[in-house]
Amino acid sequence: RYAAEFKALPEDVLEYAVYLGMDPTQDQDLLWIAEEALMAPDPPGWVEMLDPRGLLYFFNETTGLSSRQHPLDEHYQNLYLKMKMQRTADAKSKRRSVQNSQLTTDDLAAKREELARELEDS
């Protein structure tokens, strides 16, 4: 969020990952989201400011809005959730695929009969 040469420290990435809702142990493959968020420039029109007590806030020079939360936090929280849901869906699909690959011809025939009965009943 600062200069182009800024490199996020691992401890900062982990802290921000937790802030986004990640479990750094379970979501190691998604930590890139936290790192990307820490290195992203402020969106156009947004600047970092300090209030009279020295606390950081963000101000949009175009709209006049101010926020204690970084303007991109919601974007990266949503990106994390989307990627986690995709990973979960992929894992379920893979498990189904493995289960289906282990079905015998008799299993498939039974499933077809079951589906036919369900269609007749509906």
Side-chain angles (χ1 to χ4, degrees):
R1 289 184 186 163
Y2 305 105
E5 66 276 355
F6 174 76
K7 179 72 175 147
L9 298 173
E11 56 268 24
D12 292 337
V13 171
L14 292 175
E15 182 180 336
Y16 194 70
V18 170
Y19 172 77
L20 290 176
M22 292 185 200
D23 177 331
T25 305
Q26 293 180 2
D27 296 324
Q28 287 183 9
D29 61 321
L30 300 177
L31 290 177
W32 63 268
I33 296 170
E35 183 174 20
E36 181 180 301
L38 289 172
M39 297 179 64
D42 292 335
W46 287 93
V47 293
E48 293 183 5
M49 308 279 290
L50 294 176
D51 70 12
R53 296 178 292 165
L55 299 174
L56 180 70
Y57 71 98
F58 299 90
F59 179 73
N60 186 307
E61 298 172 319
T62 305
T63 65
L65 293 174
S66 62
S67 173
R68 295 273 177 208
Q69 186 177 20
H70 190 278
L72 292 177
D73 283 351
E74 185 177 1
H75 166 76
Y76 285 104
Q77 287 167 335
N78 289 336
L79 177 60
Y80 160 65
L81 291 173
K82 177 182 176 184
M83 296 301 291
K84 185 170 179 134
M85 287 178 4
Q86 181 64 48
R87 180 180 65 191
T88 302
D90 289 348
K92 285 181 180 177
S93 176
K94 190 174 190 174
R95 278 195 303 273
R96 256 187 258 117
S97 177
V98 167
Q99 289 170 345
N100 289 342
S101 70
Q102 296 170 348
L103 293 175
T104 65
T105 303
D106 292 338
D107 293 332
L108 293 172
K111 283 190 176 286
R112 272 196 300 274
E113 289 173 17
E114 184 181 331
L115 286 172
R117 281 193 301 275
E118 287 177 12
L119 289 173
E120 287 173 3
D121 293 342
S122 57

